[in-house]
Amino acid sequence: MTQAPLGDVLNAVVAMEGGAEASSGFLTLTHHLLCELGEHDADIEHAAHLWSASAEPPNAPALWFFWTGAGSECAHRVATVPWCPAILRHLDTGVVRMCAFFDHHLAPHSWSVTDPLGDLLAERLVSGDGPDNV
Ligand SMILES: [Zn+2]
Ligand SMILES: [Zn+2]
């Protein structure tokens, strides 16, 4: 989690096509950004999706916030990048999922990212062997 430098973010949004109207929405943007890449090596930049001009992800680049480090060591940049072209197709159901990350990301694709806390809670729910069952 990191603090978003709102000025940098607003400037980048306004610079994008259709961004001038959208920028007003960023006044209520939460200033805390969570990395969306899941678990990854420390030398890979954290990334949080900020905004995209189109409702159809493949058609427009999206604005991302990248950062490394924490606190006074934190370095950040705001960049417009295309979407990751990767697609996951389930042959049995025909369901197609597009990767929700930016192009050339280094961590696994979005469908591989799991929420560690969510997994932990799910495990607790299915295991069911608490002290009462002993
Ligand atoms: Zn991260
Ligand atoms: Zn991807």
Side-chain angles (χ1 to χ4, degrees), residues 52-101:
S52 50
S54 170
E56 299 295 323
N59 297 337
L63 198 62
W64 285 79
F65 184 84
F66 299 95
W67 75 97
T68 53
S72 58
E73 302 283 297
C74 184
H76 71 266
R77 63 192 178 95
V78 180
T80 308
V81 281
W83 292 94
C84 174
I87 285 175
L88 180 70
R89 190 186 303 272
H90 292 274
L91 292 176
D92 47 347
T93 62
V95 172
V96 173
R97 294 175 68 185
M98 291 181 302
C99 180
F101 295 154

Short mmCIF file of all heavy atoms in Angstrom, two decimals, residues 52-101:
data_model
loop_
_atom_site.label_atom_id
_atom_site.label_comp_id
_atom_site.label_asym_id
_atom_site.label_seq_id
_atom_site.Cartn_x
_atom_site.Cartn_y
_atom_site.Cartn_z
N SER A 52 -8.99 4.13 -16.91
CA SER A 52 -8.88 3.87 -18.34
C SER A 52 -10.00 4.62 -19.05
O SER A 52 -11.10 4.76 -18.52
CB SER A 52 -8.94 2.37 -18.63
OG SER A 52 -10.04 1.78 -17.98
N ALA A 53 -9.71 5.10 -20.24
CA ALA A 53 -10.63 5.99 -20.95
C ALA A 53 -11.84 5.25 -21.48
O ALA A 53 -12.90 5.82 -21.66
CB ALA A 53 -9.90 6.69 -22.09
N SER A 54 -11.69 3.97 -21.76
CA SER A 54 -12.76 3.20 -22.37
C SER A 54 -13.26 2.13 -21.42
O SER A 54 -12.51 1.59 -20.62
CB SER A 54 -12.26 2.55 -23.66
OG SER A 54 -13.20 1.63 -24.14
N ALA A 55 -14.56 1.81 -21.55
CA ALA A 55 -15.11 0.72 -20.76
C ALA A 55 -14.65 -0.62 -21.30
O ALA A 55 -14.74 -1.63 -20.63
CB ALA A 55 -16.64 0.79 -20.74
N GLU A 56 -14.17 -0.63 -22.54
CA GLU A 56 -13.68 -1.86 -23.16
C GLU A 56 -12.16 -1.90 -23.03
O GLU A 56 -11.46 -1.22 -23.78
CB GLU A 56 -14.08 -1.91 -24.64
CG GLU A 56 -15.58 -1.88 -24.86
CD GLU A 56 -16.24 -3.13 -24.31
OE1 GLU A 56 -15.63 -4.22 -24.42
OE2 GLU A 56 -17.35 -3.03 -23.77
N PRO A 57 -11.65 -2.69 -22.10
CA PRO A 57 -10.22 -2.66 -21.79
C PRO A 57 -9.28 -2.80 -22.99
O PRO A 57 -8.26 -2.13 -23.02
CB PRO A 57 -10.05 -3.83 -20.82
CG PRO A 57 -11.38 -3.97 -20.18
CD PRO A 57 -12.39 -3.60 -21.24
N PRO A 58 -9.57 -3.63 -24.00
CA PRO A 58 -8.55 -3.79 -25.04
C PRO A 58 -8.41 -2.57 -25.94
O PRO A 58 -7.44 -2.45 -26.67
CB PRO A 58 -9.06 -4.98 -25.88
CG PRO A 58 -10.21 -5.54 -25.14
CD PRO A 58 -10.73 -4.47 -24.25
N ASN A 59 -9.38 -1.68 -25.94
CA ASN A 59 -9.42 -0.61 -26.93
C ASN A 59 -8.65 0.64 -26.56
O ASN A 59 -8.44 1.51 -27.40
CB ASN A 59 -10.87 -0.23 -27.23
CG ASN A 59 -11.63 -1.39 -27.84
OD1 ASN A 59 -11.02 -2.29 -28.41
ND2 ASN A 59 -12.93 -1.40 -27.69
N ALA A 60 -8.30 0.78 -25.32
CA ALA A 60 -7.64 2.01 -24.91
C ALA A 60 -6.56 1.68 -23.89
O ALA A 60 -6.71 0.77 -23.09
CB ALA A 60 -8.65 2.97 -24.29
N PRO A 61 -5.48 2.44 -23.91
CA PRO A 61 -4.48 2.24 -22.86
C PRO A 61 -5.05 2.68 -21.53
O PRO A 61 -6.04 3.40 -21.46
CB PRO A 61 -3.32 3.14 -23.31
CG PRO A 61 -3.94 4.17 -24.17
CD PRO A 61 -5.12 3.52 -24.83
N ALA A 62 -4.43 2.24 -20.49
CA ALA A 62 -4.90 2.58 -19.16
C ALA A 62 -3.79 3.28 -18.39
O ALA A 62 -2.61 3.13 -18.69
CB ALA A 62 -5.33 1.32 -18.42
N LEU A 63 -4.22 4.04 -17.42
CA LEU A 63 -3.27 4.77 -16.59
C LEU A 63 -2.96 3.92 -15.35
O LEU A 63 -3.87 3.48 -14.65
CB LEU A 63 -3.90 6.09 -16.17
CG LEU A 63 -2.96 7.18 -15.66
CD1 LEU A 63 -1.97 7.59 -16.74
CD2 LEU A 63 -3.77 8.37 -15.21
N TRP A 64 -1.68 3.70 -15.14
CA TRP A 64 -1.25 2.89 -14.00
C TRP A 64 -0.30 3.69 -13.12
O TRP A 64 0.43 4.54 -13.60
CB TRP A 64 -0.54 1.62 -14.49
CG TRP A 64 -1.46 0.58 -15.03
CD1 TRP A 64 -2.04 0.57 -16.27
CD2 TRP A 64 -1.93 -0.59 -14.36
NE1 TRP A 64 -2.84 -0.55 -16.40
CE2 TRP A 64 -2.78 -1.27 -15.26
CE3 TRP A 64 -1.71 -1.13 -13.10
CZ2 TRP A 64 -3.41 -2.47 -14.92
CZ3 TRP A 64 -2.33 -2.32 -12.76
CH2 TRP A 64 -3.18 -2.98 -13.66
N PHE A 65 -0.34 3.34 -11.87
CA PHE A 65 0.57 3.92 -10.89
C PHE A 65 1.55 2.84 -10.48
O PHE A 65 1.15 1.77 -10.03
CB PHE A 65 -0.23 4.42 -9.68
CG PHE A 65 0.61 5.13 -8.66
CD1 PHE A 65 0.91 6.46 -8.82
CD2 PHE A 65 1.10 4.46 -7.55
CE1 PHE A 65 1.68 7.12 -7.88
CE2 PHE A 65 1.87 5.11 -6.60
CZ PHE A 65 2.17 6.45 -6.77
N PHE A 66 2.84 3.11 -10.69
CA PHE A 66 3.88 2.15 -10.34
C PHE A 66 4.71 2.70 -9.19
O PHE A 66 4.99 3.90 -9.14
CB PHE A 66 4.80 1.89 -11.54
CG PHE A 66 4.10 1.32 -12.74
CD1 PHE A 66 3.65 2.16 -13.75
CD2 PHE A 66 3.92 -0.04 -12.85
CE1 PHE A 66 3.00 1.63 -14.86
CE2 PHE A 66 3.27 -0.57 -13.96
CZ PHE A 66 2.81 0.27 -14.96
N TRP A 67 5.12 1.81 -8.30
CA TRP A 67 6.02 2.29 -7.24
C TRP A 67 6.89 1.15 -6.74
O TRP A 67 6.57 -0.03 -6.88
CB TRP A 67 5.23 2.92 -6.10
CG TRP A 67 4.51 1.97 -5.18
CD1 TRP A 67 4.95 1.51 -3.97
CD2 TRP A 67 3.21 1.38 -5.37
NE1 TRP A 67 4.00 0.67 -3.40
CE2 TRP A 67 2.94 0.58 -4.23
CE3 TRP A 67 2.26 1.46 -6.39
CZ2 TRP A 67 1.74 -0.15 -4.10
CZ3 TRP A 67 1.08 0.72 -6.26
CH2 TRP A 67 0.84 -0.06 -5.13
N THR A 68 8.00 1.55 -6.16
CA THR A 68 8.90 0.61 -5.49
C THR A 68 9.24 1.18 -4.12
O THR A 68 9.21 2.39 -3.92
CB THR A 68 10.21 0.40 -6.28
OG1 THR A 68 10.79 1.66 -6.55
CG2 THR A 68 9.94 -0.32 -7.59
N GLY A 69 9.58 0.30 -3.23
CA GLY A 69 10.00 0.73 -1.90
C GLY A 69 8.84 1.22 -1.06
O GLY A 69 7.68 1.12 -1.44
N ALA A 70 9.16 1.78 0.11
CA ALA A 70 8.13 2.24 1.02
C ALA A 70 8.66 3.43 1.79
O ALA A 70 9.88 3.61 1.92
CB ALA A 70 7.71 1.13 1.99
N GLY A 71 7.75 4.27 2.29
CA GLY A 71 8.14 5.42 3.09
C GLY A 71 9.02 6.38 2.31
O GLY A 71 8.76 6.68 1.15
N SER A 72 10.12 6.83 2.93
CA SER A 72 11.00 7.80 2.28
C SER A 72 11.78 7.16 1.14
O SER A 72 12.32 7.85 0.28
CB SER A 72 11.99 8.38 3.29
OG SER A 72 12.75 7.34 3.88
N GLU A 73 11.84 5.83 1.09
CA GLU A 73 12.53 5.12 0.02
C GLU A 73 11.64 4.94 -1.21
O GLU A 73 12.09 4.41 -2.22
CB GLU A 73 12.98 3.73 0.51
CG GLU A 73 13.87 3.76 1.72
CD GLU A 73 15.30 4.15 1.33
OE1 GLU A 73 15.93 3.39 0.58
OE2 GLU A 73 15.76 5.21 1.77
N CYS A 74 10.38 5.34 -1.10
CA CYS A 74 9.42 5.05 -2.16
C CYS A 74 9.70 5.89 -3.41
O CYS A 74 9.85 7.10 -3.35
CB CYS A 74 8.00 5.34 -1.65
SG CYS A 74 6.73 4.91 -2.87
N ALA A 75 9.78 5.20 -4.55
CA ALA A 75 9.90 5.88 -5.83
C ALA A 75 8.67 5.52 -6.65
O ALA A 75 8.25 4.36 -6.66
CB ALA A 75 11.17 5.44 -6.55
N HIS A 76 8.08 6.50 -7.32
CA HIS A 76 6.84 6.23 -8.03
C HIS A 76 6.86 6.85 -9.42
O HIS A 76 7.64 7.76 -9.71
CB HIS A 76 5.64 6.77 -7.25
CG HIS A 76 5.58 8.26 -7.27
ND1 HIS A 76 6.13 9.04 -6.27
CD2 HIS A 76 5.07 9.13 -8.17
CE1 HIS A 76 5.95 10.31 -6.57
NE2 HIS A 76 5.31 10.40 -7.71
N ARG A 77 6.01 6.35 -10.28
CA ARG A 77 5.79 6.97 -11.58
C ARG A 77 4.36 6.67 -12.01
O ARG A 77 3.76 5.67 -11.58
CB ARG A 77 6.78 6.45 -12.62
CG ARG A 77 6.66 4.96 -12.91
CD ARG A 77 7.85 4.46 -13.73
NE ARG A 77 7.74 3.01 -13.96
CZ ARG A 77 7.19 2.48 -15.06
NH1 ARG A 77 6.71 3.26 -16.01
NH2 ARG A 77 7.13 1.18 -15.19
N VAL A 78 3.80 7.56 -12.81
CA VAL A 78 2.48 7.36 -13.37
C VAL A 78 2.68 7.17 -14.87
O VAL A 78 3.36 7.96 -15.50
CB VAL A 78 1.57 8.56 -13.10
CG1 VAL A 78 0.19 8.34 -13.71
CG2 VAL A 78 1.45 8.80 -11.60
N ALA A 79 2.13 6.10 -15.43
CA ALA A 79 2.39 5.80 -16.83
C ALA A 79 1.13 5.30 -17.52
O ALA A 79 0.28 4.65 -16.90
CB ALA A 79 3.50 4.77 -16.95
N THR A 80 1.03 5.62 -18.80
CA THR A 80 -0.05 5.09 -19.63
C THR A 80 0.49 3.89 -20.39
O THR A 80 1.46 4.02 -21.13
CB THR A 80 -0.52 6.16 -20.62
OG1 THR A 80 -0.82 7.35 -19.91
CG2 THR A 80 -1.76 5.68 -21.36
N VAL A 81 -0.11 2.74 -20.19
CA VAL A 81 0.40 1.52 -20.81
C VAL A 81 -0.75 0.72 -21.41
O VAL A 81 -1.88 0.75 -20.89
CB VAL A 81 1.15 0.65 -19.79
CG1 VAL A 81 2.55 1.17 -19.54
CG2 VAL A 81 0.39 0.54 -18.49
N PRO A 82 -0.50 -0.02 -22.50
CA PRO A 82 -1.53 -0.89 -23.07
C PRO A 82 -1.84 -2.05 -22.12
O PRO A 82 -1.06 -2.36 -21.22
CB PRO A 82 -0.88 -1.42 -24.36
CG PRO A 82 0.38 -0.63 -24.56
CD PRO A 82 0.77 -0.10 -23.23
N TRP A 83 -2.95 -2.70 -22.37
CA TRP A 83 -3.33 -3.85 -21.56
C TRP A 83 -2.51 -5.07 -21.95
O TRP A 83 -2.09 -5.22 -23.10
CB TRP A 83 -4.81 -4.15 -21.75
CG TRP A 83 -5.69 -3.10 -21.17
CD1 TRP A 83 -6.22 -2.02 -21.83
CD2 TRP A 83 -6.12 -2.97 -19.81
NE1 TRP A 83 -6.95 -1.25 -20.96
CE2 TRP A 83 -6.91 -1.81 -19.73
CE3 TRP A 83 -5.91 -3.75 -18.66
CZ2 TRP A 83 -7.50 -1.39 -18.53
CZ3 TRP A 83 -6.50 -3.34 -17.48
CH2 TRP A 83 -7.29 -2.18 -17.42
N CYS A 84 -2.33 -5.95 -21.00
CA CYS A 84 -1.69 -7.24 -21.29
C CYS A 84 -2.58 -8.01 -22.28
O CYS A 84 -3.79 -8.11 -22.07
CB CYS A 84 -1.53 -8.03 -19.99
SG CYS A 84 -0.91 -9.70 -20.23
N PRO A 85 -1.99 -8.51 -23.37
CA PRO A 85 -2.80 -9.18 -24.40
C PRO A 85 -3.15 -10.63 -24.05
O PRO A 85 -3.84 -11.29 -24.83
CB PRO A 85 -1.89 -9.13 -25.63
CG PRO A 85 -0.50 -9.12 -25.07
CD PRO A 85 -0.57 -8.41 -23.74
N ALA A 86 -2.72 -11.10 -22.93
CA ALA A 86 -2.92 -12.51 -22.60
C ALA A 86 -4.40 -12.83 -22.35
O ALA A 86 -5.13 -12.03 -21.78
CB ALA A 86 -2.10 -12.89 -21.38
N ILE A 87 -4.79 -14.01 -22.82
CA ILE A 87 -6.18 -14.46 -22.67
C ILE A 87 -6.17 -15.88 -22.14
O ILE A 87 -5.36 -16.70 -22.56
CB ILE A 87 -6.91 -14.39 -24.02
CG1 ILE A 87 -7.27 -12.95 -24.38
CG2 ILE A 87 -8.15 -15.25 -24.02
CD1 ILE A 87 -7.88 -12.80 -25.76
N LEU A 88 -7.04 -16.13 -21.19
CA LEU A 88 -7.19 -17.49 -20.66
C LEU A 88 -8.53 -18.03 -21.15
O LEU A 88 -9.58 -17.46 -20.88
CB LEU A 88 -7.15 -17.48 -19.13
CG LEU A 88 -7.30 -18.85 -18.46
CD1 LEU A 88 -6.07 -19.70 -18.68
CD2 LEU A 88 -7.54 -18.67 -16.96
N ARG A 89 -8.46 -19.14 -21.92
CA ARG A 89 -9.68 -19.69 -22.48
C ARG A 89 -9.95 -21.06 -21.85
O ARG A 89 -9.11 -21.95 -21.91
CB ARG A 89 -9.54 -19.84 -23.99
CG ARG A 89 -10.81 -20.17 -24.72
CD ARG A 89 -10.54 -20.43 -26.19
NE ARG A 89 -9.89 -19.30 -26.83
CZ ARG A 89 -10.54 -18.28 -27.39
NH1 ARG A 89 -11.85 -18.27 -27.40
NH2 ARG A 89 -9.89 -17.30 -27.96
N HIS A 90 -11.11 -21.19 -21.25
CA HIS A 90 -11.50 -22.49 -20.70
C HIS A 90 -12.14 -23.30 -21.80
O HIS A 90 -13.22 -22.95 -22.29
CB HIS A 90 -12.48 -22.32 -19.53
CG HIS A 90 -11.85 -21.69 -18.32
ND1 HIS A 90 -11.18 -22.42 -17.37
CD2 HIS A 90 -11.78 -20.39 -17.93
CE1 HIS A 90 -10.72 -21.59 -16.43
NE2 HIS A 90 -11.07 -20.37 -16.75
N LEU A 91 -11.46 -24.38 -22.22
CA LEU A 91 -11.95 -25.14 -23.36
C LEU A 91 -13.29 -25.81 -23.07
O LEU A 91 -14.11 -25.98 -23.95
CB LEU A 91 -10.90 -26.19 -23.75
CG LEU A 91 -9.60 -25.62 -24.33
CD1 LEU A 91 -8.61 -26.72 -24.60
CD2 LEU A 91 -9.88 -24.83 -25.60
N ASP A 92 -13.52 -26.17 -21.83
CA ASP A 92 -14.77 -26.89 -21.52
C ASP A 92 -15.96 -25.95 -21.42
O ASP A 92 -17.07 -26.30 -21.81
CB ASP A 92 -14.61 -27.71 -20.23
CG ASP A 92 -13.97 -26.92 -19.11
OD1 ASP A 92 -13.43 -25.83 -19.39
OD2 ASP A 92 -14.01 -27.38 -17.96
N THR A 93 -15.77 -24.74 -20.91
CA THR A 93 -16.89 -23.82 -20.74
C THR A 93 -16.95 -22.74 -21.82
O THR A 93 -17.98 -22.10 -21.99
CB THR A 93 -16.81 -23.11 -19.37
OG1 THR A 93 -15.59 -22.35 -19.33
CG2 THR A 93 -16.81 -24.12 -18.23
N GLY A 94 -15.83 -22.52 -22.55
CA GLY A 94 -15.79 -21.46 -23.55
C GLY A 94 -15.62 -20.08 -22.95
O GLY A 94 -15.63 -19.08 -23.66
N VAL A 95 -15.46 -20.01 -21.64
CA VAL A 95 -15.29 -18.72 -20.98
C VAL A 95 -13.89 -18.18 -21.27
O VAL A 95 -12.91 -18.90 -21.19
CB VAL A 95 -15.49 -18.86 -19.46
CG1 VAL A 95 -15.13 -17.56 -18.75
CG2 VAL A 95 -16.93 -19.23 -19.17
N VAL A 96 -13.84 -16.91 -21.66
CA VAL A 96 -12.56 -16.26 -21.94
C VAL A 96 -12.35 -15.16 -20.91
O VAL A 96 -13.22 -14.34 -20.67
CB VAL A 96 -12.55 -15.66 -23.37
CG1 VAL A 96 -11.29 -14.83 -23.59
CG2 VAL A 96 -12.67 -16.77 -24.40
N ARG A 97 -11.17 -15.19 -20.31
CA ARG A 97 -10.83 -14.12 -19.37
C ARG A 97 -9.62 -13.37 -19.90
O ARG A 97 -8.63 -13.99 -20.30
CB ARG A 97 -10.50 -14.72 -18.00
CG ARG A 97 -11.68 -15.38 -17.33
CD ARG A 97 -11.27 -16.05 -16.06
NE ARG A 97 -10.87 -15.10 -15.03
CZ ARG A 97 -10.37 -15.44 -13.85
NH1 ARG A 97 -10.20 -16.71 -13.57
NH2 ARG A 97 -10.04 -14.53 -12.97
N MET A 98 -9.69 -12.05 -19.90
CA MET A 98 -8.55 -11.24 -20.29
C MET A 98 -7.76 -10.86 -19.05
O MET A 98 -8.33 -10.62 -18.00
CB MET A 98 -9.02 -9.97 -21.00
CG MET A 98 -9.63 -10.24 -22.36
SD MET A 98 -10.13 -8.71 -23.15
CE MET A 98 -11.27 -8.07 -21.94
N CYS A 99 -6.46 -10.84 -19.23
CA CYS A 99 -5.61 -10.42 -18.12
C CYS A 99 -5.94 -8.96 -17.78
O CYS A 99 -6.07 -8.13 -18.67
CB CYS A 99 -4.14 -10.57 -18.48
SG CYS A 99 -3.03 -10.07 -17.15
N ALA A 100 -6.06 -8.67 -16.51
CA ALA A 100 -6.45 -7.33 -16.07
C ALA A 100 -5.25 -6.44 -15.79
O ALA A 100 -5.40 -5.37 -15.22
CB ALA A 100 -7.32 -7.43 -14.82
N PHE A 101 -4.05 -6.90 -16.20
CA PHE A 101 -2.85 -6.11 -15.93
C PHE A 101 -2.36 -5.42 -17.19
O PHE A 101 -2.89 -5.61 -18.27
CB PHE A 101 -1.75 -7.00 -15.35
CG PHE A 101 -2.11 -7.58 -14.00
CD1 PHE A 101 -1.54 -8.77 -13.57
CD2 PHE A 101 -3.02 -6.95 -13.17
CE1 PHE A 101 -1.86 -9.30 -12.34
CE2 PHE A 101 -3.35 -7.48 -11.93
CZ PHE A 101 -2.76 -8.67 -11.51
#
